[in-house]
Amino acid sequence: ATDGLASATARLFGREHSPDSRPARPTVEEAPLSDEAEAQATRAALEARDQQAEQAADEQARQQDMARARADRLTAAEGIIRTVYDDELSLFGSRTERSAWLTPQLSRRIDQANAAAEAYGGAGVVVGFDPLIEGQDVNLANFDYASRETDYGVEVRVRFTNFEDPVDLTFEMVETEGGWRTRQIRSRTPQGQTRWTLTGLLDQAMTDARNFE
């Protein structure tokens, strides 16, 4: 009887009906934004876009400033070594001359080697050749400079020929109160291995002076 009543009711109201059915919840539609709210949203989006563009421009400018600063550092350090060869400066010249491109520590090492040589009867430090040209006679040509940043400062690599013999020297440059100065000179073989260092040559010269009879 109950099923018959439910069926009759369903037919009467034109839909299925059961005692456990519940009415569907009405759908709530979002109210459209007012003109003012829409304008505010548009302004906020434009401001966010402009802010992002400004930040991107600032970052690009910062990167360009850093690149220029790195380039200036490399140019300044390399310029010191170019002057050494252009003006034919010497490792064993006066202290004033050496102070223009050597660190005080390296210049003192040269003074110590000179003192050791003089103390044992020599006229001054002797290493057998001029490290700046890797020879005794000079006929330099085909200069090529390359510089890069390192953890200690700047490395300036100089390649040239002396009487057509290839020379490959690396100058380790550090920044001091007086500007860029050389703390070490390293000679490379054609295979890229270290042939000698300036400090090693000075140490050997001091040892040879003590052993001189």
Side-chain angles (χ1 to χ4, degrees):
T2 302
D3 291 342
L5 180 60
S7 299
T9 304
R11 288 192 297 271
L12 177 62
F13 291 97
R15 59 181 176 82
E16 290 295 329
H17 176 77
S18 67
D20 295 331
S21 65
R22 292 178 174 82
R25 295 182 179 177
T27 302
V28 179
E29 297 183 358
E30 295 183 359
L33 293 174
S34 66
D35 292 343
E36 178 60 27
E38 186 174 353
Q40 289 179 352
T42 300
R43 284 195 298 270
L46 291 175
E47 289 175 358
R49 186 191 65 184
D50 291 343
Q51 186 177 17
Q52 290 177 348
E54 184 177 354
Q55 290 173 346
D58 290 343
E59 177 61 20
Q60 184 179 15
R62 188 182 71 85
Q63 294 290 343
Q64 291 174 344
D65 288 343
M66 291 177 60
R68 280 193 294 268
R70 285 194 297 268
D72 289 344
R73 284 166 55 86
L74 295 176
T75 299
E78 184 178 305
I80 295 293
I81 304 307
R82 286 178 178 270
T83 299
V84 169
Y85 286 97
D86 290 345
D87 295 352
E88 299 181 356
L89 301 184
S90 172
L91 273 170
F92 307 110
S94 68
R95 291 178 183 174
T96 300
E97 180 179 317
R98 283 183 270 142
S99 68
W101 67 285
L102 298 181
T103 61
Q105 295 84 354
L106 186 54
S107 186
R108 281 196 296 270
R109 292 285 294 272
I110 294 174
D111 286 338
Q112 292 167 357
N114 274 324
E118 292 170 0
Y120 291 92
V125 62
V126 177
V127 297
F129 62 95
D130 184 346
L132 291 180
I133 62 173
E134 278 203 340
Q136 296 175 332
D137 298 322
V138 183
N139 185 10
L140 308 184
N142 305 314
F143 276 87
D144 178 62
Y145 292 85
S147 303
R148 68 182 184 91
E149 286 189 312
T150 65
D151 56 351
Y152 58 78
V154 171
E155 174 188 282
V156 179
R157 187 176 181 182
V158 186
R159 285 173 284 188
F160 55 89
T161 57
N162 188 11
F163 287 102
E164 299 185 357
D165 293 328
V167 179
D168 189 344
L169 301 179
T170 297
F171 294 77
E172 296 181 3
M173 310 293 290
V174 294
E175 201 164 14
T176 69
E177 292 182 357
W180 290 98
R181 297 294 183 267
T182 303
R183 74 170 191 179
Q184 180 68 286
I185 304 174
R186 189 180 308 275
S187 172
R188 301 189 192 194
T189 67
Q191 293 75 32
Q193 299 175 332
T194 297
R195 178 183 284 118
W196 53 258
T197 64
L198 178 58
T199 53
L201 293 177
L202 294 175
D203 289 342
Q204 186 61 50
M206 292 176 68
T207 300
D208 292 344
R210 295 191 184 99
N211 294 334
F212 179 78
E213 295 182 358

